Amino acid sequence: MNPFMLFSKRKETTAKNKRRLIYSRKSAAKIASLLFFSVMFLSLLFNVIFFTKYQTIRNSAKASEESVKDQLKQVENSNLLYSDSISVFTEKFLETYLTIPKEEKARQSRTEELSTFFVSSFDIKRVSDLKDFKGERRVVDLQYVDTKHISNREAKVHFKAVYEITEEQKENAKTSKYETDFVVPVTSNGKGFAVYQNPNMIQEDLKTTMSYEGNAPDGEPITSTETKLLESFLYDFFTSFGVSDEKLPFMAEVSGGLKDQTLQDVNVREAVKEGSLYTVRTDVNYQNSETSINDLYSYELKVEKENNKFFITQIE
């Protein structure tokens, strides 16, 4: 074999291999670049999706947190409006509101103090006009009636008021006494109270004419003989109960009795029994030991009988 031919063939094979190698490297570089940019794109895409979802969850959580805070604040305000302290605040307000001093300097001090009870936007000049009033107004009595809740932020507090107005008239002064109901609109921010508008004045009578029949106690009516025995026992008991003597614990399960009350009479109005347990409704006439006043009191008793002896287990 010709050696030149062998050498020439080897050169041709090497050139083909080089072309294949160059082609393979270019393809690999393109594929690597494509993979790299694909990974980068997917990474950015996932980051955008993650950030968007994270921001959505965060906003949702923040909104929920603010909603819970608002609800808690409303509950807090509601609890304060439903507390007993609202009547204390309103009573103090009415004392200041109804009291009108005679002297001008004292009236200015009243106006300054009164402004602290109202909401900050309230015009204190709208409360009253006293420029033509010569005299004074003073509170005699204030009695809380009830509170009506308009919402979680608003309530109307009802008081009965007794007050006197003394007005100077030419050569003398005239004093008049009034009994009036006042309804005060009150709001709260959860920390305290404020009056949000002028109170209104109404006239309301809580008394009424009505008939009433109480429920009869459960049990069978007792005989006249048992009634007399009960009255004899109750006379001894209420004698001891009126002065809290040493015999009281042996006749009743009570923590203590009265003082300076002298028994005058006992009358059993109604008495029934179930087995050995008696329910007794009785009227008791006591006289105060230091006066001549006689008052009638009504009691309902639970009495047990054992070995022909009575013992009171409950007194109301």
Side-chain angles (χ1 to χ4, degrees):
M1 183 177 292
N2 190 343
F4 294 105
M5 289 179 65
L6 288 172
F7 181 76
S8 176
K9 189 176 182 180
R10 191 177 298 162
K11 275 185 73 178
E12 185 181 348
T13 302
T14 302
K16 288 180 180 180
N17 287 340
K18 282 184 179 181
R19 284 195 297 270
R20 288 175 183 172
L21 184 60
I22 291 170
Y23 176 77
S24 298
R25 285 178 178 176
K26 287 182 178 180
S27 298
K30 288 181 181 179
I31 293 171
S33 297
L34 182 62
L35 288 174
F36 175 76
F37 286 110
S38 297
V39 170
M40 288 290 293
F41 174 76
L42 290 174
S43 177
L44 289 172
L45 180 62
F46 286 137
N47 282 336
V48 170
I49 293 172
F50 172 78
F51 180 78
T52 303
K53 286 187 175 181
Y54 173 77
Q55 197 64 29
T56 302
I57 294 171
R58 184 180 178 183
N59 292 338
S60 177
K62 188 176 180 181
S64 299
E65 184 181 356
E66 290 177 354
S67 176
V68 170
K69 284 182 178 179
D70 290 339
Q71 290 177 11
L72 288 174
K73 191 172 182 180
Q74 287 182 0
V75 170
E76 186 181 5
N77 293 352
S78 174
N79 287 341
L80 194 60
L81 281 176
Y82 279 85
S83 69
D84 294 336
S85 54
I86 192 172
S87 63
V88 178
F89 166 83
T90 308
E91 183 175 3
K92 183 63 178 174
F93 164 77
L94 283 173
E95 285 178 2
T96 308
Y97 175 80
L98 290 173
T99 301
I100 300 176
K102 185 177 180 181
E103 298 79 13
E104 184 60 32
K105 187 175 181 181
R107 289 186 181 185
Q108 291 177 0
S109 298
R110 167 191 176 261
T111 302
E112 291 173 3
E113 183 180 357
L114 199 58
S115 65
T116 63
F117 286 92
F118 285 93
V119 293
S120 58
S121 59
F122 187 82
D123 184 5
I124 197 66
K125 294 178 182 178
R126 294 171 50 207
V127 173
S128 56
D129 184 1
L130 304 176
K131 63 183 179 182
D132 296 327
F133 174 62
K134 295 181 180 180
E136 61 181 342
R137 183 172 67 187
R138 68 182 191 88
V139 177
V140 177
D141 187 36
L142 287 170
Q143 292 184 345
Y144 171 73
V145 179
D146 63 11
T147 300
K148 293 181 180 179
H149 294 89
I150 311 303
S151 68
N152 284 340
R153 296 187 57 208
E154 298 169 337
K156 293 193 174 182
V157 189
H158 182 182
F159 266 83
K160 282 191 167 295
V162 180
Y163 56 93
E164 290 180 345
I165 297 178
T166 301
E167 187 168 9
E168 297 177 2
Q169 296 178 347
K170 295 182 179 180
E171 297 179 356
N172 59 3
K174 180 184 177 181
T175 300
S176 302
K177 191 174 183 178
Y178 301 89
E179 294 185 17
T180 313
D181 294 58
F182 286 90
V183 178
V184 183
V186 178
T187 186
S188 175
N189 61 358
K191 298 177 182 179
F193 303 100
V195 179
Y196 61 87
Q197 65 184 32
N198 279 320
N200 58 59
M201 187 167 56
I202 62 173
Q203 199 68 42
E204 185 174 286
D205 191 356
L206 298 178
K207 300 187 297 294
T208 185
T209 301
M210 59 181 291
S211 60
Y212 172 76
E213 293 182 6
N215 295 326
D218 295 330
E220 298 294 327
I222 65 174
T223 65
S224 58
T225 302
E226 288 178 301
T227 301
K228 288 180 180 179
L229 290 173
L230 263 174
E231 283 183 339
S232 177
F233 165 74
L234 291 177
Y235 194 93
D236 292 338
F237 165 72
F238 281 109
T239 299
S240 297
F241 187 70
V243 293
S244 298
D245 65 19
E246 68 280 358
K247 294 184 292 183
L248 189 60
F250 298 100
M251 291 185 285
E253 189 176 324
V254 291
S255 57
L258 307 175
K259 292 182 180 179
D260 303 321
Q261 299 295 324
T262 302
L263 182 66
Q264 302 299 304
D265 190 26
V266 175
N267 176 41
V268 173
R269 287 186 291 107
E270 202 171 2
V272 296
K273 70 174 182 178
E274 290 181 308
S276 62
L277 179 63
Y278 294 75
T279 300
V280 184
R281 291 174 178 174
T282 181
D283 292 330
V284 180
N285 188 353
Y286 274 126
Q287 178 181 316
N288 187 289
S289 301
E290 298 180 357
T291 68
S292 58
I293 298 176
N294 284 278
D295 287 309
L296 193 67
Y297 304 93
S298 296
Y299 293 92
E300 182 169 317
L301 312 167
K302 299 293 183 183
V303 184
E304 286 186 353
K305 186 177 183 181
E306 187 175 352
N307 298 326
N308 291 323
K309 290 185 177 181
F310 294 110
F311 186 83
I312 298 171
T313 58
Q314 184 178 327
I315 179 170
E316 295 179 347

